[in-house]
Amino acid sequence: MSPAPTTPDFDELIERRGTDCNKWDDMGKVFGLTAPDALAMWVADMDFRAPAPVRAALEQIVASGVYGYPGENRAYLDAIRWWMETRHGWAVAPEAILSVHGLVNGTALAVDSYTAPGDAVVLMTPVYHAFARVVKAAGRRVTELPLAEVDGQYALDWAGWEGRLTGAERMLILCSPHNPGGRVWSADELREIAAFCRERDLILVSDEIHHDLVLPGSPRHTVTALAAPEIADRLVTLTAATKSFNLAGAHLGNAIIPDAGLRARYAARMGALGISPGLFGPPMVAAAYSPEGAAWIDALVAYLAENARVFDAGIAAIPGARSMKLQATYLSWVDFSGTGIDAEGLRARVEGGARIAANHGESFGTGGAQHLRFNIATPRARVAEAVARLQQAFADLQ
């Protein structure tokens, strides 16, 4: 009988400075934050150790001392299929899975595969800033559909979007669950988006990287492919274990494309660019997508929910500031517009006063002004310290 899994210690304070860590070591370059007590709450990775089975899988590879070309790694594909069916109710054929170098790469490949220079790509903003970055870098244009806010959460705004498309659009990139708003889209909303894409002949790329990070008490995440099977001929679903299990450095994700014709176009671009997985990533994913990994995720989302409660309560004590209620992700989207302080003033208080690095809302597109995104996937002591500093930085508003 195998021993019972140990409870993860998410309260452990792990020192990541000096480890060539983007999140902690690049604060000085990006934000000018060089103080030894500066808090990194920007880059979307977690300050938690990966599950024990993942670490064991890596240790086994390292111990072998041989790091040659990997094979097909059927265990990796089987683990993805097991996870999607067990955790999300989605039966995926092995041939439908293509391995990409993370989901930013997966998104860029979709743009490259299904659009041409000068075409436009639809984004529902504010939304994950890397989408617009890769679209523009590929010589395509962005068409923004600004989300509405209803009862403190983002919502689709079909009436407001009327007439916004130019006719040059060939693709819509969906963030589901939504980053930075933390919204879990309902099955009905996903069907509406799918119908919109079919009516306008758009490829739908559904980035579902946060699908395991749904907080307790929130609506269940629905896979777009299950909500709208009628658009299988134009749907690319992007998933990854990296966000769920803090494996972002593996740069590994999945483009799941059941339609053979659509998949062939994507695979052709991958082949032309020589993209294939490395040695270390697939065994990490296979170890994570397991019953032990499922137990770890369940413990994680419970911890994140309490972090969100602590953070939200702290933000609510600042007059004119409010955080959007998280249903999923570990990224708190805070609206400071009620303070009357402009973006430059906000950064002076948060970065200069509180010594906290947070993502600037403007980078997420229309609707992001006077917002900041805070990563709360860190030990609770740091979350408490962050809100105490933020309250002090805005103390004159009391």
Side-chain angles (χ1 to χ4, degrees), residues 12-102:
E12 179 187 7
L13 291 169
I14 301 169
E15 181 55 74
R16 300 182 66 191
R17 291 179 179 85
T19 63
D20 196 22
C21 169
N22 177 217
K23 180 179 179 181
W24 287 88
D25 289 335
D26 289 350
M27 281 192 291
K29 179 177 68 175
V30 178
F31 297 93
L33 283 171
T34 57
D37 67 344
L39 294 176
M41 302 185 78
W42 59 305
V43 175
D45 67 18
M46 300 188 279
D47 294 322
F48 307 135
R49 296 191 193 280
V54 173
R55 304 199 303 270
L58 277 175
E59 289 164 1
Q60 184 176 0
I61 297 171
V62 171
S64 75
V66 180
Y67 313 123
Y69 291 117
E72 181 186 27
N73 204 329
R74 189 72 185 194
Y76 157 67
L77 294 175
D78 288 346
I80 294 169
R81 296 175 63 223
W82 178 85
W83 188 263
M84 294 306 160
E85 186 157 16
T86 303
R87 299 289 288 193
H88 299 285
W90 186 22
V92 177
E95 64 271 16
I97 304 169
L98 301 175
S99 297
V100 296
H101 291 170

Side-chain angles (χ1 to χ4, degrees), residues 1-8 10 49-57 79 82-83 86-87 244-245 283-301:
M1 180 181 295
S2 60
T6 58
T7 302
F10 297 122
R49 296 191 193 280
V54 173
R55 304 199 303 270
W82 178 85
W83 188 263
T86 303
R87 299 289 288 193
S244 305
F245 297 97
M284 294 168 72
V285 172
Y289 281 162
S290 64
E292 294 85 356
W296 189 91
I297 285 286
D298 291 341
L300 171 70
V301 294

Side-chain angles (χ1 to χ4, degrees), residues 355-392:
R355 304 178 304 289
I356 297 173
N359 292 103
H360 300 165
E362 296 87 347
S363 68
F364 295 84
T366 300
Q370 292 179 286
H371 287 69
L372 292 171
R373 191 190 75 172
F374 295 84
N375 179 348
I376 60 169
T378 196
R380 194 159 300 135
R382 287 196 184 123
V383 175
E385 173 67 18
V387 295
R389 292 189 194 181
L390 289 168
Q391 289 171 4
Q392 181 59 39

Side-chain angles (χ1 to χ4, degrees), residues 114-358:
Y114 307 121
T115 70
D119 286 345
V121 176
V122 179
L123 302 180
M124 296 186 291
T125 57
V127 74
Y128 179 42
H129 44 72
F131 292 164
R133 187 177 74 238
V134 299
V135 168
K136 293 174 182 177
R140 279 68 163 172
R141 293 176 284 144
V142 171
T143 297
E144 293 188 68
L145 300 183
L147 293 164
E149 189 172 335
V150 177
D151 297 329
Q153 290 183 318
Y154 284 132
L156 307 178
D157 186 15
W158 298 115
W161 295 341
E162 189 68 32
R164 279 188 170 264
L165 268 60
T166 67
E169 293 79 14
R170 300 292 177 264
M171 174 184 292
L172 185 150
I173 302 175
L174 172 68
C175 199
S176 179
H178 184 259
N179 167 16
R183 174 72 201 284
V184 176
W185 303 113
S186 70
D188 285 343
E189 288 169 316
L190 294 173
R191 281 189 280 271
E192 291 174 10
I193 294 167
F196 178 83
C197 291
R198 178 169 285 283
E199 290 165 5
R200 289 156 181 81
D201 196 22
L202 304 176
I203 297 291
L204 175 56
V205 177
S206 184
D207 180 345
E208 305 190 18
I209 196 170
H210 294 278
H211 62 179
D212 294 319
L213 302 174
V214 176
L215 304 188
S218 298
R220 182 180 175 85
H221 170 77
T222 303
V223 176
T224 302
L226 294 179
E230 67 277 8
I231 65 156
D233 62 336
R234 65 182 63 245
L235 177 63
V236 174
T237 303
L238 302 177
T239 73
T242 52
K243 196 68 65 182
S244 305
F245 297 97
N246 209 29
L247 314 178
H251 278 283
L252 183 63
N254 319 304
I256 303 178
I257 314 175
D259 182 80
L262 201 65
R263 186 170 66 249
R265 294 167 66 185
Y266 196 99
R269 294 307 302 148
M270 289 182 63
L273 296 169
I275 294 174
S276 61
L279 172 65
F280 295 94
M284 294 168 72
V285 172
Y289 281 162
S290 64
E292 294 85 356
W296 189 91
I297 285 286
D298 291 341
L300 171 70
V301 294
Y303 189 89
L304 292 175
E306 180 61 14
N307 273 10
R309 187 196 67 77
V310 171
F311 190 80
D312 289 350
I315 292 297
I318 300 172
R322 61 187 181 89
S323 52
M324 191 165 276
K325 180 173 174 55
L326 275 184
Q327 294 180 333
T329 84
Y330 49 70
L331 303 165
S332 184
W333 186 235
V334 181
D335 180 0
F336 289 95
S337 61
T339 65
I341 301 169
D342 63 17
E344 185 178 352
L346 289 175
R347 291 194 286 270
R349 289 172 182 251
V350 173
E351 296 163 20
R355 304 178 304 289
I356 297 173

